[in-house]
Amino acid sequence: MTGMLPLSEAPYAAGRTSDFSETYRRAYRWMLLARVAEEKIASLYRGGKITGGVFVGRGQEAISVATGIALRDGDIFAPLIRDQAGRLAFGESLLDFTLTYLGARSGPMRGRDGNVHRGRPKEGLLPMISHLGAMGSVVNGMLLAHRFQGKKHTVGAVSLGDGATSTGAFHEFINQAAVEKLPLVLVITNNQFAYSTPTNRQFVCADLVDKAIGYGVTGHSVDGTDLAACLQTIGGAVQTARDGGGPQFVVATSLRLAGHGEHDDSHYIPPQLKETHLGRDCLSVAEEHILSQKWADATTVEAWHRDSHTQVEEAVAHSLREAAPDPAREDWCALSSRHLQEGPELHPPLKY
Amino acid sequence: MTGMLPLSEAPYAAGRTSDFSETYRRAYRWMLLARVAEEKIASLYRGGKITGGVFVGRGQEAISVATGIALRDGDIFAPLIRDQAGRLAFGESLLDFTLTYLGARSGPMRGRDGNVHRGRPKEGLLPMISHLGAMGSVVNGMLLAHRFQGKKHTVGAVSLGDGATSTGAFHEFINQAAVEKLPLVLVITNNQFAYSTPTNRQFVCADLVDKAIGYGVTGHSVDGTDLAACLQTIGGAVQTARDGGGPQFVVATSLRLAGHGEHDDSHYIPPQLKETHLGRDCLSVAEEHILSQKWADATTVEAWHRDSHTQVEEAVAHSLREAAPDPAREDWCALSSRHLQEGPELHPPLKY
Amino acid sequence: MITYLEAIREAQSEALEKDPRVYIYGQDIGNFGGAFKATKNLAQRFPGRVLDSPISEDAMMGSAIGAAMQGMRPIVEMQFADFSTVGFNQIVNQAATLFWRSGVSCPITVRLPSGGTPGSGPFHSQSLEAIYAHYPGLIILTPATVEDAYSMLLEAVAIEDPVIFCEHKYLYYHLKAPSLPKEALPVGKARIARAGRDATVVTYSAMVHEALAAADELATEGWEIEVIDLRSIKPLDTDTVLASVARTGRILAVGEAWPWGGVTAEVLARVATEGFNLLDAPPMRLNSKDTPVPFHPNLWGTHRPTARTISLALRELLRA
Amino acid sequence: MITYLEAIREAQSEALEKDPRVYIYGQDIGNFGGAFKATKNLAQRFPGRVLDSPISEDAMMGSAIGAAMQGMRPIVEMQFADFSTVGFNQIVNQAATLFWRSGVSCPITVRLPSGGTPGSGPFHSQSLEAIYAHYPGLIILTPATVEDAYSMLLEAVAIEDPVIFCEHKYLYYHLKAPSLPKEALPVGKARIARAGRDATVVTYSAMVHEALAAADELATEGWEIEVIDLRSIKPLDTDTVLASVARTGRILAVGEAWPWGGVTAEVLARVATEGFNLLDAPPMRLNSKDTPVPFHPNLWGTHRPTARTISLALRELLRA
Ligand SMILES: Cc1ncc(C[n+]2csc(CCOP(=O)(O)OP(=O)(O)O)c2C)c(N)n1
Ligand SMILES: Cc1ncc(C[n+]2csc(CCOP(=O)(O)OP(=O)(O)O)c2C)c(N)n1
Ligand SMILES: [Mg+2]
Ligand SMILES: [Mg+2]
């Protein structure tokens, strides 16, 4: 149950259906599941049941899901803290999410790391380190390895925020991808804030996508509140990269509809901003679109909601029953070559 | 004699004369002096008289001098390894150059640092650390200090190579300058190589100046082999920054007409490249221009050459007579707060 | 009562108030008041002097160095000590070498919210004091008390050299004092946090409190443990340590950081070389385990030294 | 005769030859063969497997980590150890934590041309082994001989974990051996470079040769000095050190790096805690001075330990 689902078996897998409404529906359902799951964890957080921070993707699920759903087995995805929708679409099981947030020993990070810092690198899902921008060059290296190994038509997607574009690491990795002509898709979610900091303290270019030309890569802009646009633009960018078009630089605009983390009331976000087009909730917009297009009727959508809640409740219930990590069973070994690990002799040989 | 000359007293100070030919002549003389000085040190290097590396600016003196000559007292200049012409024009004495290269205790770095790693920060001339890109944000900070202190109309100029644009530090500092709207002038000398590496392994944008738009700063391109163009473009950029126009991003093209250092025969530079416009020697071009414009006659130019040689010979002779650093007179103290320095007690108290 | 965090805020407020050369630079420190609220209301009270930086640690550090060279007294807040690794080069190669190379001093203060708290995980828990202490040209302060958080931060701003100010996040809200001090020991002097005659524990920062708790526990068994709070780990007050060992004959060095080359190694190397004959028993050390800092509280509580493991070590030391 | 540098080139050549997973990445290492010519002709012999990188140390390290995760065995050449400070975060936070966090190993080798040579100055001379050793999850090798440069580099590539390979620039051309070894001590085992019974010098890298010269000098006075070459400083072979101290009763730890928290601190802390009763005299240590590495040869020669200062320290140790 834990771990990654083969994408073909994932309940709402995108497949490569030519039926756009089918893709849209699947994407919507991942977004919905992510939203429900994150709301559940947030409510557990408010109830004091979560250790550490909780970070949610509210308002940018469309961008995230469009990234995850465009990827296939063999591709690589480096999500960030707000990518629950994309993770699910890429194949991360809900249990990896709940087990990690709830600190179960059986989670993929075994209690060693927590919350958003999880992944299954063997299956192409990278466990982020916190340092912003640092995952991009790692994806470059994985794509370089694919090239060495003769694996063709794989793609690597990297998620980044507006704030992270100020890091030197961002600059070095997108430039490296350009020089090596790697099939890298960089999806920048400009949600207008980096923690409390508005974008005008991060950059002053007229449009973030203006950076693409300076790296010699293809730039794309997309309305991140519009799932159809995201699926098309990000899906298209992924396909272009897959077909040998080199690095793709996507800037998607949205508004962070939550605090930086659940500890943060985001009082600094001007209420007027929430009233603008940017402040639209991509999930409601997508739901309305499905209904208006008659891609599903209200009863079906209602059932999807119920199903998401059921899945989340089950995953949480299961995870709460799991054992916490036991320090006595921990091997305290940071090396794969166990015989080279140092440690115990530096401590007094305690008898306990 | 050592140290910085007040710019007004420097023998070929640019002043702010409206006579362009006068500025051009002065600039040419600094270029010539730099060339002669570097050739002298290179020949001493070949004779085994120099410790450490020797790095010269051959082929890019026009760019460098145009930067240095546009600056005034109170401005800041962060030169790199090929900026001898700009340093002289900014006011660095020739003795600082020869004393440092020859390892004299009386040089500005007192033998603690050498060759191109010299400066007089109190006078606005920064002593570079080796890590490429690292000086830019330091200049930003100095300009920020000026702003705090109410000093107006000062400018900071940062010199960078094509290779250094690949560093994260470069990205962070130019972006920081843009966000803070600092009077920073970044002069990138694209001399086609970073050590042995051609530019196509550093970046793949069509033109380096395309990066400017991504930072929201003004871009300028200039032919680095043409002194008049450099004086106009770089001088103009400095003036714009001084007048409140924010950071200026100048890309000057040339060819490195030397090895990376004097140890390097630069066999990897294709001979054909030297035959192109890029491969023109800016110093000869400038000299021909002066003669053809009749801004000076051949006898005068000849006298300038002699004068440069005399100055260099005197500086070298003086420097060779200076004492080398004496470890016994060194205080081995890395802190300004001497009482907080650690050290001796970690060594056995040797009696010698 | 004033907390450790409030003391840090108070010191910054006072520095801004008294010295026009002081400004603060860091992520989210302006109107928002910082991730931990260490600069709450300061931007409002000192307009234009508490600046939000982009997420550019290298440029943050570089610009602080430049401003310091031009006569300012910047305080840089890293959002977490762990993120200083991306501003590392400017700290260790630019700031730390400037005075020695050029004779121009570099009075910057870098605030590093350091150390572990439950649930913070591998990248929001690090204790990097030993990393910075290895480099010449830096001063490393590690306040363990509310009083020191306040007075040492003020002193850091006054010092002409780059100061790495390792403030411990675990103490931010936990630790309280009735008031701020009027005077303090100077930087470079260690403090005897508890006097004793049977053994010396040398430690710093949050571990001082674990050591004091261990000493309390051993006191119930009749042992008198001396606890030394180093306060600054570079310079490190070897004299005070040696004087204590001269009295007790036994030493345990405790640090929350990783073992290899940490403060405990440096302390014991000094005691062994300079105070060998003062020792009645082999010296001991206790550090965190040699793995990244774990996220889960169960693991975290075992990864770092605690009052319990310090007591166990002390009992062994006293038996030796 | 083969030099230390040639041994490094030979090991890389052999690794490329034998293991299709190996590739090399660094600045100017392709057709140019590297700043020190450590990869001379390798790009020509192994097309597409010796890649010139942009001047992007962070991305260089990050991409090597990614490639390793996907089954490659990258060797990264830093042009100078000193420049690894801008790739630091990827090394200490990405590479070093990966296995512990995710169970996926990170077999990368980072070659750091390390240590001082006359005229190299503060930014081309650094010895950063202690910095990396402080972090869990890294293995730090410090070969002192031509044979070790060769065999340990081959072993580094074979190891499943990130290896920081500190090769000493001073030895590149100076040090020669008649041939390359067929077998070698495993990583983690120190070597007795010279047997003796009067005192032990524990050191590594270029300082092994200074220590051996000092031992030669003292031999003319009748003293037999044992010299231990640690070979790897993490893991550090405490057993071999203690066994030697058990024989000699006296120890001097020598390192070219800065004193605070360096190898000498770690060695003496281990000896003091685990071998206290073996010591007949206070242990001693000798390091570089606590300033940046000076440019001028006169200053440089005094900044670092030399045969002369090691001899002086040993005489004092033997008198104690
Ligand atoms: C190098 C670095 N510096 C600081 C931080 C602390 N930090 C974590 S998230 C964040 C804001 C990120 O903003 P953005 O990139 O826009 O992403 P968003 O949170 O909006 O999704 C900051 C400053 C970090 N993780 N890494
Ligand atoms: C961060 C960093 N990495 C590597 C080096 C080594 N290095 C010194 S100069 C140089 C080439 C620089 O090329 P470029 O920026 O084009 O300047 P140029 O030498 O052509 O003037 C390199 C790689 C360095 N100084 N700093
Ligand atoms: Mg954002
Ligand atoms: Mg160049």
Side-chain angles (χ1 to χ4, degrees):
Chain A
M1 262 294 273
T2 68
M4 304 281 289
L5 303 168
L7 291 192
S8 47
E9 288 173 27
Y12 326 130
R16 255 139 287 121
T17 170
S18 55
D19 180 353
F20 183 70
S21 70
E22 179 56 24
T23 307
Y24 194 103
R25 272 193 301 266
R26 285 174 174 161
Y28 167 77
R29 293 194 64 183
W30 289 127
M31 291 167 65
L32 178 62
L33 184 59
R35 176 73 62 91
V36 171
E38 290 189 333
E39 279 176 354
K40 178 69 188 180
I41 293 296
S43 94
L44 288 167
Y45 174 86
R46 288 188 293 273
K49 295 270 187 292
I50 303 282
T51 318
V54 170
F55 304 90
V56 305
R58 190 179 183 95
Q60 57 195 65
E61 292 96 336
I63 305 163
S64 185
V65 80
T67 309
I69 214 167
L71 302 174
R72 300 185 195 156
D73 280 333
D75 286 347
I76 293 146
F77 183 32
L80 279 193
I81 61 178
R82 308 195 193 284
D83 278 310
Q84 191 48 39
R87 288 169 174 272
L88 290 167
F90 185 64
E92 190 187 57
S93 81
L94 201 52
L95 272 180
D96 273 14
F97 168 78
T98 52
L99 289 168
T100 306
Y101 258 117
L102 291 162
R105 183 171 67 205
S106 53
M109 309 315 277
R110 297 160 292 163
R112 294 176 174 189
D113 212 336
N115 55 57
V116 289
H117 296 89
R118 61 186 192 278
R120 301 221 172 228
K122 287 234 169 75
E123 284 131 306
L125 187 68
L126 296 193
M128 60 175 279
I129 69 166
S130 294
H131 301 69
L132 292 167
M135 302 311 296
S137 55
V138 177
V139 174
N140 285 348
M142 297 177 90
L143 295 172
L144 214 53
H146 285 181
R147 179 177 292 173
F148 276 118
Q149 294 158 347
K151 283 190 199 140
K152 292 205 159 67
H153 306 300
T154 55
V155 167
V158 174
S159 174
L160 223 65
D162 43 279
T165 65
S166 302
T167 63
F170 151 78
H171 172 73
E172 293 196 2
F173 88 70
I174 183 67
N175 186 58
Q176 181 184 50
V179 167
E180 291 292 347
K181 297 181 185 42
L182 296 172
L184 184 84
V185 180
L186 169 60
V187 181
I188 299 176
T189 300
N190 180 353
N191 63 6
Q192 315 306 321
F193 287 88
Y195 208 150
S196 74
T197 305
T199 54
N200 65 1
R201 293 294 301 166
Q202 299 289 348
F203 49 81
V204 293
C205 47
D207 189 327
L208 260 186
V209 81
D210 291 345
K211 290 189 183 291
I213 185 178
Y215 294 107
V217 301
T218 313
H220 309 262
S221 297
V222 64
D223 175 356
T225 68
D226 178 345
L227 175 58
C230 289
L231 288 169
Q232 265 147 1
T233 303
I234 298 172
V238 167
Q239 194 57 48
T240 307
R242 204 183 291 294
D243 294 342
Q248 307 292 310
F249 192 104
V250 182
V251 177
T253 42
S254 69
L255 180 65
R256 204 186 68 212
L257 300 180
H260 172 64
E262 287 305 296
H263 60 279
D264 169 27
D265 65 9
S266 66
H267 61 271
Y268 46 82
I269 300 189
Q272 315 87 281
L273 202 52
K274 298 185 189 151
E275 305 309 318
T276 65
H277 182 88
L278 276 179
R280 301 198 304 171
D281 179 349
C282 59
L283 187 68
S284 328
V285 172
E287 184 167 315
E288 280 158 31
H289 190 68
I290 286 175
L291 292 169
S292 75
Q293 297 293 309
K294 304 213 188 322
W295 289 345
D297 60 17
T299 326
T300 310
V301 170
E302 183 52 31
W304 293 346
H305 277 260
R306 276 200 310 280
D307 176 59
S308 296
H309 283 276
T310 310
Q311 285 191 55
V312 168
E313 292 302 334
E314 278 173 7
V316 167
H318 174 99
S319 302
L320 284 170
R321 284 192 302 270
E322 288 293 290
D326 176 356
R329 290 175 57 185
E330 180 53 67
D331 67 1
W332 300 110
C333 181
L335 294 176
S336 172
S337 329
R338 300 183 56 87
H339 64 291
L340 298 177
Q341 173 71 26
E342 296 231 302
E345 82 278 13
L346 307 185
H347 304 284
L350 299 180
K351 286 109 197 165
Y352 66 105
Chain B
M1 264 291 276
T2 69
M4 305 280 290
L5 303 168
L7 292 192
S8 48
E9 290 174 25
Y12 327 129
R16 255 140 287 121
T17 168
S18 55
D19 181 352
F20 184 70
S21 71
E22 179 56 25
T23 307
Y24 194 102
R25 270 193 303 265
R26 285 174 175 161
Y28 167 76
R29 293 194 65 181
W30 289 126
M31 290 168 66
L32 178 62
L33 184 59
R35 176 73 63 91
V36 170
E38 290 190 332
E39 278 175 357
K40 177 69 187 181
I41 293 294
S43 94
L44 288 168
Y45 174 85
R46 287 188 294 274
K49 297 271 187 293
I50 304 282
T51 318
V54 171
F55 304 90
V56 304
R58 190 181 183 93
Q60 57 196 65
E61 290 96 337
I63 305 163
S64 184
V65 80
T67 309
I69 214 167
L71 303 174
R72 300 185 196 157
D73 280 333
D75 286 347
I76 292 144
F77 183 32
L80 278 192
I81 61 177
R82 307 194 193 285
D83 278 311
Q84 190 48 40
R87 288 168 174 272
L88 290 168
F90 185 64
E92 191 187 55
S93 80
L94 201 53
L95 272 180
D96 274 14
F97 168 78
T98 53
L99 288 168
T100 307
Y101 259 117
L102 291 162
R105 185 171 68 206
S106 53
M109 310 313 278
R110 297 160 292 165
R112 293 176 174 189
D113 212 337
N115 55 59
V116 290
H117 296 89
R118 61 185 192 277
R120 300 222 172 229
K122 289 234 169 79
E123 285 130 307
L125 187 67
L126 296 193
M128 59 175 279
I129 70 166
S130 293
H131 301 70
L132 292 167
M135 303 311 297
S137 55
V138 176
V139 175
N140 285 347
M142 297 178 91
L143 295 171
L144 214 53
H146 285 182
R147 179 177 294 172
F148 276 119
Q149 293 157 349
K151 284 191 198 140
K152 292 207 160 67
H153 306 299
T154 55
V155 167
V158 173
S159 172
L160 222 65
D162 42 280
T165 64
S166 301
T167 63
F170 151 78
H171 172 74
E172 293 195 3
F173 88 69
I174 183 69
N175 187 58
Q176 181 184 50
V179 167
E180 291 293 347
K181 296 182 187 40
L182 296 173
L184 184 83
V185 180
L186 169 60
V187 180
I188 299 176
T189 299
N190 180 354
N191 63 6
Q192 316 305 321
F193 287 88
Y195 208 151
S196 75
T197 304
T199 53
N200 66 0
R201 294 293 301 164
Q202 299 289 350
F203 50 79
V204 294
C205 48
D207 189 327
L208 261 185
V209 81
D210 290 346
K211 291 189 182 292
I213 185 178
Y215 295 107
V217 300
T218 312
H220 309 262
S221 297
V222 63
D223 175 355
T225 68
D226 178 345
L227 175 58
C230 289
L231 288 169
Q232 264 147 4
T233 304
I234 298 172
V238 167
Q239 195 57 48
T240 307
R242 203 182 293 293
D243 294 343
Q248 307 292 310
F249 191 104
V250 182
V251 177
T253 43
S254 68
L255 180 65
R256 203 185 70 213
L257 300 181
H260 172 64
E262 286 305 295
H263 60 280
D264 170 26
D265 66 8
S266 67
H267 61 272
Y268 47 82
I269 300 190
Q272 315 87 281
L273 202 52
K274 298 183 190 154
E275 305 309 317
T276 65
H277 182 89
L278 277 179
R280 301 198 305 171
D281 179 349
C282 59
L283 186 68
S284 326
V285 172
E287 184 167 314
E288 281 158 30
H289 190 69
I290 287 177
L291 292 170
S292 75
Q293 297 293 310
K294 304 213 187 329
W295 289 346
D297 59 18
T299 325
T300 310
V301 170
E302 182 52 29
W304 292 345
H305 277 260
R306 274 197 315 275
D307 177 60
S308 296
H309 283 277
T310 310
Q311 285 192 54
V312 169
E313 291 303 332
E314 277 174 7
V316 167
H318 174 99
S319 302
L320 284 170
R321 284 192 303 270
E322 288 293 290
D326 175 357
R329 289 175 57 184
E330 180 54 67
D331 66 2
W332 301 110
C333 182
L335 295 177
S336 172
S337 329
R338 299 184 57 87
H339 65 290
L340 298 177
Q341 172 72 25
E342 297 232 300
E345 83 279 13
L346 306 184
H347 304 284
L350 298 182
K351 285 109 198 163
Y352 65 103
Chain C
M1 296 296 274
I2 178 161
T3 65
Y4 184 92
L5 180 67
E6 285 160 356
I8 288 168
R9 190 188 305 141
E10 213 31 64
Q12 292 182 103
S13 171
E14 211 169 301
L16 285 162
E17 183 87 49
K18 293 205 178 137
D19 189 342
R21 301 170 305 174
V22 174
Y23 74 99
I24 316 184
Y25 193 49
Q27 292 152 23
D28 304 294
I29 64 163
N31 282 331
F32 188 64
F36 296 100
K37 301 293 168 211
T39 57
K40 193 173 159 187
N41 292 329
L42 296 184
Q44 293 81 351
R45 285 186 46 211
F46 304 96
R49 294 175 64 198
V50 185
L51 306 177
D52 282 331
S53 74
I55 307 178
S56 302
E57 281 79 2
D58 184 272
M60 284 162 65
M61 290 312 316
S63 68
I65 294 162
M69 288 166 75
Q70 289 291 94
M72 302 297 290
R73 297 267 156 170
I75 300 174
V76 177
E77 174 179 305
M78 288 281 148
Q79 203 155 75
F80 285 82
D82 317 52
F83 300 139
S84 69
T85 48
V86 283
F88 192 61
N89 184 55
Q90 295 285 5
I91 301 174
V92 304
N93 282 316
Q94 190 94 256
T97 69
L98 181 68
F99 173 73
W100 192 79
R101 293 172 67 232
S102 73
V104 171
S105 64
C106 186
I108 61 173
T109 299
V110 190
R111 288 183 37 236
L112 299 188
S114 301
T117 56
S120 290
F123 309 114
H124 293 77
S125 303
Q126 295 175 18
S127 299
L128 298 181
E129 55 278 357
I131 291 294
Y132 290 106
H134 187 56
Y135 282 90
L138 300 174
I139 290 167
I140 323 292
L141 306 185
T142 51
T145 66
V146 174
E147 292 81 353
D148 276 349
Y150 170 77
S151 61
M152 289 169 84
L153 183 48
L154 278 172
E155 209 176 348
V157 174
I159 285 176
E160 289 291 331
D161 294 289
V163 175
I164 309 297
F165 191 82
C166 303
E167 47 191 63
H168 203 295
K169 302 192 296 290
Y170 190 74
L171 306 179
Y172 272 169
Y173 318 100
H174 283 53
L175 204 65
K176 298 193 171 101
S179 66
L180 292 175
K182 294 267 172 293
E183 49 187 32
L185 284 176
V187 158
K189 287 298 288 173
R191 177 179 69 99
I192 298 187
R194 176 186 179 119
R197 57 158 196 231
D198 296 320
T200 302
V201 180
V202 175
T203 188
Y204 61 101
S205 192
M207 286 295 132
V208 168
H209 306 282
E210 300 294 329
L212 288 171
D216 279 347
E217 192 182 320
L218 287 178
T220 66
E221 300 164 24
W223 297 110
E224 290 182 26
I225 306 297
E226 181 142 307
V227 176
I228 295 187
D229 171 6
L230 288 173
R231 300 177 73 248
S232 88
I233 61 121
K234 190 172 188 182
L236 196 158
D237 183 358
T238 320
D239 291 348
T240 297
V241 173
L242 291 175
S244 174
V245 176
R247 289 189 292 274
T248 64
R250 285 174 158 74
I251 179 171
L252 168 68
V254 178
E256 179 177 334
W258 296 304
W260 203 109
V263 174
T264 64
E266 186 59 34
V267 167
L268 292 197
R270 294 189 188 196
V271 169
T273 53
E274 299 174 54
F276 187 73
N277 296 318
L278 309 174
L279 290 166
D280 297 330
M284 288 177 72
R285 63 203 284 219
L286 186 58
N287 300 290
S288 83
K289 297 197 188 294
D290 195 35
T291 71
V293 186
F295 159 78
H296 197 284
N298 288 1
L299 302 181
W300 178 73
T302 302
H303 182 263
R304 66 170 203 149
T306 57
R308 197 178 70 85
T309 56
I310 296 170
S311 301
L312 287 166
L314 279 171
R315 287 200 193 90
E316 196 174 326
L317 180 64
L318 292 162
R319 267 197 307 271
Chain D
M1 294 298 273
I2 178 162
T3 65
Y4 184 93
L5 179 68
E6 284 160 355
I8 288 168
R9 190 188 305 141
E10 213 30 65
Q12 292 183 103
S13 171
E14 211 168 302
L16 285 162
E17 182 87 49
K18 293 205 179 133
D19 189 340
R21 301 171 303 175
V22 174
Y23 74 97
I24 316 184
Y25 193 49
Q27 291 152 22
D28 305 295
I29 64 163
N31 281 331
F32 187 64
F36 296 100
K37 302 294 167 207
T39 57
K40 192 172 158 190
N41 291 328
L42 295 184
Q44 291 81 352
R45 284 185 48 210
F46 303 96
R49 295 174 64 198
V50 184
L51 306 177
D52 283 331
S53 74
I55 306 177
S56 300
E57 281 79 2
D58 184 273
M60 284 162 65
M61 289 313 315
S63 69
I65 294 162
M69 289 166 76
Q70 288 293 92
M72 302 297 289
R73 297 265 157 171
I75 300 173
V76 177
E77 175 180 306
M78 289 281 150
Q79 203 155 76
F80 285 82
D82 317 51
F83 300 138
S84 70
T85 48
V86 284
F88 191 62
N89 184 55
Q90 294 285 3
I91 301 175
V92 304
N93 282 316
Q94 190 93 258
T97 69
L98 181 69
F99 172 73
W100 191 79
R101 294 172 66 231
S102 73
V104 170
S105 62
C106 186
I108 61 172
T109 299
V110 190
R111 288 183 37 236
L112 299 188
S114 301
T117 56
S120 291
F123 309 114
H124 292 77
S125 304
Q126 295 175 16
S127 299
L128 298 180
E129 56 277 357
I131 291 294
Y132 290 106
H134 187 57
Y135 283 90
L138 300 174
I139 290 167
I140 323 293
L141 307 185
T142 50
T145 64
V146 175
E147 292 82 353
D148 276 350
Y150 170 77
S151 61
M152 289 168 83
L153 183 47
L154 278 171
E155 209 176 347
V157 174
I159 285 175
E160 288 291 330
D161 294 288
V163 176
I164 310 296
F165 191 82
C166 303
E167 48 193 60
H168 203 295
K169 301 192 296 292
Y170 190 74
L171 306 179
Y172 272 170
Y173 317 101
H174 283 55
L175 204 64
K176 297 195 172 99
S179 65
L180 293 174
K182 293 268 171 293
E183 50 186 31
L185 285 175
V187 158
K189 287 299 287 174
R191 177 179 69 98
I192 299 188
R194 175 187 182 120
R197 57 160 196 233
D198 296 321
T200 302
V201 180
V202 175
T203 188
Y204 60 101
S205 193
M207 286 296 132
V208 168
H209 306 283
E210 300 294 330
L212 288 171
D216 279 348
E217 191 182 321
L218 287 177
T220 66
E221 300 164 22
W223 297 109
E224 291 182 25
I225 306 298
E226 181 143 307
V227 176
I228 294 187
D229 170 6
L230 288 172
R231 300 177 72 247
S232 88
I233 62 122
K234 191 171 187 184
L236 195 159
D237 184 358
T238 319
D239 290 348
T240 298
V241 173
L242 291 175
S244 174
V245 175
R247 287 190 294 275
T248 64
R250 284 173 158 76
I251 179 172
L252 168 68
V254 178
E256 180 178 334
W258 296 303
W260 203 110
V263 174
T264 64
E266 185 60 31
V267 166
L268 292 196
R270 293 189 190 197
V271 170
T273 54
E274 299 175 54
F276 187 74
N277 296 319
L278 308 174
L279 290 165
D280 297 331
M284 289 177 71
R285 63 202 285 220
L286 186 58
N287 300 290
S288 83
K289 297 198 188 293
D290 197 35
T291 71
V293 185
F295 159 79
H296 197 284
N298 288 1
L299 302 181
W300 178 74
T302 302
H303 182 263
R304 66 170 202 153
T306 57
R308 197 178 70 85
T309 56
I310 296 171
S311 300
L312 286 167
L314 279 171
R315 286 200 193 93
E316 196 175 326
L317 180 64
L318 291 162
R319 268 198 305 271

